[in-house]
Amino acid sequence: QSEAGTAGSSHSMDKSITLPPDEIFRNLENAKRFAIDIGGSLTKLAYYSTVQHKVAKVRSFDHTAKEVPSDKLYEISVQEEITARLHFIKFENAYIETCLDFIKDHLVNTETKVIKATGGGAHKFKDLIEKKLGLKVDKEDEMTCLIKGCNFVLKNIPHEAFVYAKHADSEFRFQNTHPDIFPYLLVNIGSGVSIVKVESEDKFERIGGSSIGGGTFWGLGALLTKTKRFDELLQLASKGQHTSVDMLVKDIYGGSYGSLGLTGDLIASSFGKSATADKDFSKEDMAKSLLHMISNDIGQLACLYAKLHNLSRVYFGGFFIRGHPVTMHTITYSINFFTKGEVQALFLRHEGYLGAIGAFLKGAEEDNPNQYSWGENYAGSSGLMSVSPDINPMQRARSGTFDMLEMDRLERQLVNLPLLQDASSYIPDTVDLTEDALAREYWLSCFEEALDGVVKRAVASQPDIPEAAERAEKFRQKYRHKLQTLRHQPFAYGSLTVRSLLDTREHCLNEFNFPDPYSKIKQRENDVALKYYQKAVKSLEELSWEERQFALVRVELTAGPFCEQLERPWLVDAYDQWIERLKGPPHKCALFFVDNSGMDIILGVMPFVRELLCRGTEVVLASNSGPALNDVTNGELQILTERIAAMDPVIQSGLKEDRLTLVQSGSSSPCLDLRLVSRQLTWQLLPSDILWSFVPQSSKTISSFVFFPLPFPSRLDKVLAMVVRERQTDLVIIEGMGRAIHTNYYAMLTCESLKMAVIKNSWLADRLGGKLFSVVFKYEDPTRKPSKDTVALTPS
């Protein structure tokens, strides 16, 4: 995939960055495989590395041992874990020699002797690469790499594709990740244009193209304006008026041509006025006219091929695009005109990396990277730059210098929850902060104000480690910088939401080895709550059926039986419908997405679960795979459930009879994306009399493991998506603000659902038309008409 146009811009760069700092080529000492894509001006380097970081593990105490304090439920240990990470770095060709020197000096553990290469410059720099790195350059087909890279980002990066709307409140409108990305049309605009129909992972065909492309714009533009730099030519176009040069319909007919449906402002002839007008035309106007001419031509070609092959998804890429607002706007306008809005022009956030990603995948096929799920690491990725040069005139020039994308391999493959009505239209987030400026400013300020508290908790979670304070300060600086970036570029990582702000914070905490800042707080709260469990259950059993149902909901909402009674009606109140449903036959299986540790899970969720079991309903408890805030993790929940089972025969029999199942959700977030639930089985080993679960740390050979004991030796770890199908789940319960309000408030499921939360944020309560600690109790049955209990979460 070739680029052009910024090679001559390096003279305007800050020369202090000619030597890449360590944070650019991160974790290079553990790099295993390499790939490179060299275009006309930009080099994109890809490498795979193993990353060693700390994880918090919990292990149940052996309470038969005399030295163990009887009031402690479990111990917490911070262990080293190795995971896989993909690094993609983009920089100008002018820096290639310096970068290769840096890589050579830091290469220590690489396993490969070959570097996969693609792009027009791969042959030009072949000898330099082989000399500097001592790796053999293995050339890969450019188009094959391009398609492989495109498939990969569309499958693995949420909000990868976007529509550009120049005059809208939000310039970017990000698309949902479709479960099935095929077929699609890729229009790659380099020097010329290639139009490719992609039907599957390995089946694609070049069905058309044109010699009039980016090179045409650059070449003719240079002749017309004497401007040799591509970016400068685009800057001229952004300031020009094409109507000064182009002949419009109204210039010929004095207005519109009604019988043909042509408006007066439509271009009748590109550069038409230059043939008759006796005057000089400005560089800006000529550049704008040229951009319109080429974009309209490409747009019409794309539309004709899309219609011919019955394709509705059309992606545009290549050096001609590269995130420039004027280019995206003109192509979008052209597509809208020729298809009357039936086809959208889609662009990609990581379009510049497609060739490098594809070349890497070609070199890593034996590791089967497509068998895993990958997630963007917000702590290490640069994010989409601002498209407005007025915000920071130097930003666009600098963006070509060093830009990064990092992706972490997830422990488990993730798939759509089978119970979603329509996975392709499902949007987990209730409010899009990218489009809501007031909400965006509030939440960015909210997270910034909370930063000191997060730093203190991070340090307190590692009291015996002297350098924890130093790492916490680095975390503070990095996350604050991310917040400042998002204030100016809310679209940097896709749609900005409360979920993405929380996820970014978790990524930054993990980056500086704070895997679970709430671990000790959760441990204390769990220990205390357990002491009240039997008393709470006894008091519930003494109530009548109707009283007990309300008490269970109240306890669930208020995270404990000793809070004052919540007065109805609630802000969203479907309690009567829920009670009416409970008077009918029991549900077959309830999937319960749980929230906080402590009182919430032990005194709120578990009595609720107990009641469902007594009704004859099987229960699947889904908890986070990894820590986030004070949410209970799967490891903690297994220990808690074991202890509760020891003092509650209902829970104990539920476990023994396999009517109560614990699963990992696959998430490490306080929010919940139902498109990403756990699919992959965890291997099991049985040394002596205890069952241990392990996760292999190498996909090629089983070379190292992380072992941790499962508290139920007779039970295997279950897989959420599989369990949902097997148990014929007909009820989904989602609790907590993060899971039920910030996300999934509008989620449409194929079965009954119950969403419960207390609003613990005064701003959000006010936005919803309620007060602090207002209750949301939303029961939905897809077989019935929607009730009138819903409040709007967006401004009226």
Side-chain angles (χ1 to χ4, degrees):
Q1 183 186 355
S2 60
E3 275 99 359
T6 56
S9 62
S10 59
H11 69 273
S12 64
M13 298 290 174
D14 181 353
K15 291 299 181 182
S16 66
I17 56 173
T18 53
L19 182 66
D22 289 351
E23 57 264 27
I24 300 295
F25 295 96
R26 299 187 340 137
N27 208 48
L28 194 59
E29 67 277 5
N30 294 318
K32 307 298 181 187
R33 297 185 182 277
F34 284 92
I36 198 164
D37 174 17
I38 307 175
S41 64
L42 298 178
T43 295
K44 287 78 61 181
L45 180 73
Y47 61 95
Y48 158 88
S49 73
T50 52
V51 181
Q52 192 167 6
H53 61 95
K54 296 185 184 299
V55 293
K57 297 288 185 182
V58 296
R59 185 171 69 88
S60 182
F61 278 119
D62 177 6
H63 288 274
T64 60
K66 294 180 180 179
E67 66 273 12
V68 175
S70 59
D71 61 335
K72 289 292 184 184
L73 179 63
Y74 55 82
E75 64 177 339
I76 305 163
S77 62
V78 176
Q79 304 171 10
E80 294 290 336
E81 188 172 272
I82 298 174
T83 56
R85 177 173 289 175
L86 299 181
H87 305 256
F88 304 99
I89 301 159
K90 182 169 63 181
F91 52 87
E92 289 188 6
N93 290 353
Y95 292 91
I96 190 168
E97 193 159 355
T98 306
C99 291
L100 291 175
D101 282 334
F102 185 89
I103 294 168
K104 180 184 69 175
D105 293 341
H106 291 77
L107 270 185
V108 181
N109 299 318
T110 185
E111 297 173 349
T112 184
K113 299 299 180 186
V114 175
I115 181 169
K116 292 289 184 179
T118 190
H123 178 75
K124 177 181 177 181
F125 290 98
K126 178 179 183 291
D127 293 341
L128 179 66
I129 295 168
E130 291 185 339
K131 177 185 175 184
K132 293 283 187 183
L133 300 185
L135 302 176
K136 180 188 174 186
V137 172
D138 190 1
K139 186 89 163 58
E140 290 291 341
D141 177 68
E142 194 171 347
M143 191 57 66
T144 301
C145 292
L146 184 73
I147 301 303
K148 273 191 171 291
C150 193
N151 292 342
F152 183 84
V153 297
L154 287 173
K155 284 183 174 181
N156 287 283
I157 305 182
H159 295 169
E160 173 62 29
F162 63 88
V163 173
Y164 181 71
K166 181 180 179 181
H167 301 296
D169 292 337
S170 174
E171 296 166 298
F172 295 84
R173 292 178 182 171
F174 294 94
Q175 305 295 294
N176 290 335
T177 303
H178 286 262
D180 184 8
I181 64 172
F182 306 110
Y184 65 85
L185 196 69
L186 178 63
V187 182
N188 193 55
I189 314 170
S191 298
V193 180
S194 287
I195 300 177
V196 185
K197 179 183 178 181
V198 185
E199 297 183 74
S200 68
E201 196 66 51
D202 297 306
K203 185 179 179 182
F204 64 89
E205 177 188 3
R206 187 184 188 275
I207 57 175
S210 173
S211 62
I212 301 172
T216 315
F217 174 69
W218 196 8
L220 284 177
L223 291 172
L224 289 168
T225 68
K226 309 304 179 187
T227 298
K228 296 294 185 183
R229 291 169 56 199
F230 187 82
D231 283 334
E232 189 175 313
L233 192 60
L234 280 169
Q235 280 295 91
L236 289 174
S238 68
K239 299 172 184 175
Q241 293 291 330
H242 76 96
T243 54
S244 301
V245 184
D246 293 341
M247 186 175 291
L248 309 180
V249 169
K250 66 183 177 183
D251 295 324
I252 300 174
Y253 296 101
S256 63
Y257 195 148
S259 62
L260 294 181
L262 304 177
T263 64
D265 292 329
L266 194 67
I267 298 174
S269 174
S270 295
F271 286 92
K273 288 180 181 175
S274 62
T276 56
D278 187 17
K279 66 172 185 175
D280 293 330
F281 296 94
S282 73
K283 293 180 178 180
E284 290 82 358
D285 294 346
M286 288 189 292
K288 187 63 168 284
S289 175
L290 182 62
L291 183 64
H292 273 286
M293 182 181 78
I294 292 171
S295 296
N296 285 335
D297 182 61
I298 294 170
Q300 186 168 26
L301 267 178
C303 292
L304 290 171
Y305 278 105
K307 188 172 182 179
L308 183 64
H309 292 269
N310 197 28
L311 297 171
S312 59
R313 281 176 283 191
V314 182
Y315 299 100
F316 289 84
F319 89 81
F320 184 66
I321 307 291
R322 212 165 69 250
H324 285 281
V326 175
T327 312
M328 293 191 296
H329 174 64
T330 52
I331 286 180
T332 299
Y333 180 88
S334 173
I335 292 290
N336 287 341
F337 176 79
F338 289 116
T339 69
K340 295 180 171 60
E342 292 179 4
V343 175
Q344 289 183 317
L346 294 166
F347 306 97
L348 302 172
R349 278 204 294 141
H350 299 101
E351 182 273 327
Y353 292 111
L354 302 186
I357 292 172
F360 171 81
L361 293 173
K362 287 288 288 182
E365 285 176 342
E366 61 189 274
D367 291 329
N368 296 319
N370 278 320
Q371 288 188 1
Y372 298 93
S373 292
W374 299 82
E376 183 174 1
N377 175 24
Y378 297 141
S381 295
S382 301
L384 194 66
M385 62 186 166
S386 170
V387 298
S388 174
D390 300 326
I391 293 177
N392 186 348
M394 284 299 295
Q395 184 182 26
R396 179 161 296 282
R398 287 179 183 276
S399 69
T401 307
F402 291 107
D403 185 75
M404 291 163 290
L405 165 65
E406 288 186 357
M407 300 188 72
D408 289 328
R409 194 178 78 190
L410 305 181
E411 181 181 309
R412 292 165 170 263
Q413 268 198 311
L414 302 178
V415 294
N416 296 319
L417 182 73
L419 299 172
L420 284 171
Q421 275 191 19
D422 181 7
S424 63
S425 64
Y426 166 73
I427 300 173
D429 304 291
T430 305
V431 179
D432 187 342
L433 305 182
T434 321
E435 298 183 357
D436 190 334
L438 288 174
R440 178 170 70 246
E441 182 53 40
Y442 169 79
W443 284 109
L444 285 170
S445 298
C446 193
F447 276 87
E448 198 160 8
E449 290 166 7
L451 191 49
D452 286 344
V454 177
V455 169
K456 288 178 182 177
R457 277 192 294 273
V459 176
S461 70
Q462 299 178 4
D464 302 324
I465 304 177
E467 37 80 47
E470 182 182 345
R471 281 187 285 111
E473 187 55 38
K474 288 180 179 178
F475 154 74
R476 182 206 304 272
Q477 293 171 9
K478 183 145 202 170
Y479 189 58
R480 179 172 285 152
H481 174 71
K482 293 286 181 185
L483 292 175
Q484 290 168 350
T485 299
L486 291 167
R487 185 168 263 113
H488 297 292
Q489 301 163 223
F491 41 76
Y493 300 102
S495 291
L496 181 64
T497 63
V498 173
R499 175 171 61 98
S500 68
L501 286 170
L502 286 164
D503 288 350
T504 303
R505 188 167 72 184
E506 294 299 320
H507 291 186
C508 291
L509 282 166
N510 284 320
E511 196 67 32
F512 295 101
N513 277 323
F514 292 106
D516 194 356
Y518 281 85
S519 58
K520 306 236 183 266
I521 297 172
K522 289 190 290 182
Q523 184 183 35
R524 286 196 302 270
E525 291 180 350
N526 288 334
D527 289 340
V528 170
L530 272 174
K531 296 174 182 178
Y532 294 100
Y533 177 79
Q534 288 177 300
K535 181 180 178 181
V537 168
K538 184 179 179 182
S539 62
L540 287 166
E541 287 180 332
E542 292 171 353
L543 300 175
S544 67
W545 184 86
E546 293 241 2
E547 290 174 330
R548 186 166 68 253
Q549 303 316 307
F550 185 77
L552 284 166
V553 169
R554 186 198 66 190
V555 169
E556 168 60 42
L557 288 167
T558 57
F562 309 112
C563 301
E564 63 183 58
Q565 181 132 346
L566 296 172
E567 294 294 329
R568 294 181 61 206
W570 296 324
L571 180 62
V572 178
D573 195 339
Y575 178 76
D576 291 338
Q577 293 94 315
W578 169 246
I579 288 299
E580 194 62 32
R581 172 62 186 85
L582 288 182
K583 292 176 181 177
H587 297 90
K588 179 167 180 38
C589 177
L591 170 61
F592 202 139
F593 288 100
V594 299
D595 190 24
N596 298 332
S597 289
M599 298 282 185
D600 194 334
I601 185 72
I602 295 168
L603 302 182
V605 171
M606 282 304 187
F608 204 102
V609 168
R610 190 179 190 277
E611 184 75 8
L612 289 171
L613 290 170
C614 290
R615 277 176 56 81
T617 300
E618 296 179 7
V619 180
V620 177
L621 284 180
S623 54
N624 271 9
S625 301
L629 298 180
N630 63 331
D631 291 351
V632 66
T633 64
N634 184 259
E636 292 162 344
L637 185 56
Q638 291 198 42
I639 295 172
L640 292 175
T641 308
E642 177 190 30
R643 179 57 63 85
I644 291 171
M647 52 183 168
D648 187 339
V650 174
I651 300 298
Q652 188 174 62
S653 65
L655 291 170
K656 284 184 176 180
E657 296 165 13
D658 205 27
R659 293 185 299 111
L660 174 59
T661 306
L662 275 58
V663 300
Q664 299 186 45
S665 68
S667 173
S668 297
S669 169
C671 296
L672 180 64
D673 186 343
L674 295 176
R675 294 169 302 189
L676 304 173
V677 298
S678 174
R679 184 174 92 178
Q680 184 180 349
L681 279 168
T682 301
W683 290 83
Q684 308 291 344
L685 291 179
L686 188 61
S688 67
D689 59 345
I690 185 168
L691 190 66
W692 293 73
S693 175
F694 74 88
V695 180
Q697 298 306 302
S698 170
S699 56
K700 185 178 178 183
T701 57
I702 300 179
S703 56
S704 62
F705 310 90
V706 171
F707 288 89
F708 54 96
L710 292 173
F712 302 112
S714 61
R715 296 172 51 76
L716 298 183
D717 185 26
K718 303 295 182 180
V719 181
L720 196 155
M722 181 181 72
V723 169
V724 163
R725 289 192 180 97
E726 284 182 350
R727 302 293 173 97
Q728 300 177 34
T729 301
D730 54 356
L731 172 65
V732 173
I733 303 172
I734 305 175
E735 64 141 346
M737 273 185 59
R739 290 164 177 77
I741 294 184
H742 290 312
T743 53
N744 298 300
Y745 188 80
Y746 295 122
M748 302 299 294
L749 303 177
T750 58
C751 67
E752 296 171 55
S753 63
L754 187 60
K755 300 165 189 176
M756 300 181 285
V758 174
I759 303 172
K760 300 171 185 174
N761 176 283
S762 57
W763 181 89
L764 182 59
D766 183 65
R767 169 64 72 93
L768 300 179
K771 299 177 181 179
L772 191 62
F773 304 125
S774 291
V775 170
V776 170
F777 188 90
K778 190 177 185 184
Y779 167 66
E780 292 175 310
D781 181 348
T783 64
R784 298 182 181 181
K785 290 183 179 180
S787 60
K788 298 179 180 180
D789 55 39
T790 302
V791 295
L793 298 194
T794 52
S796 58

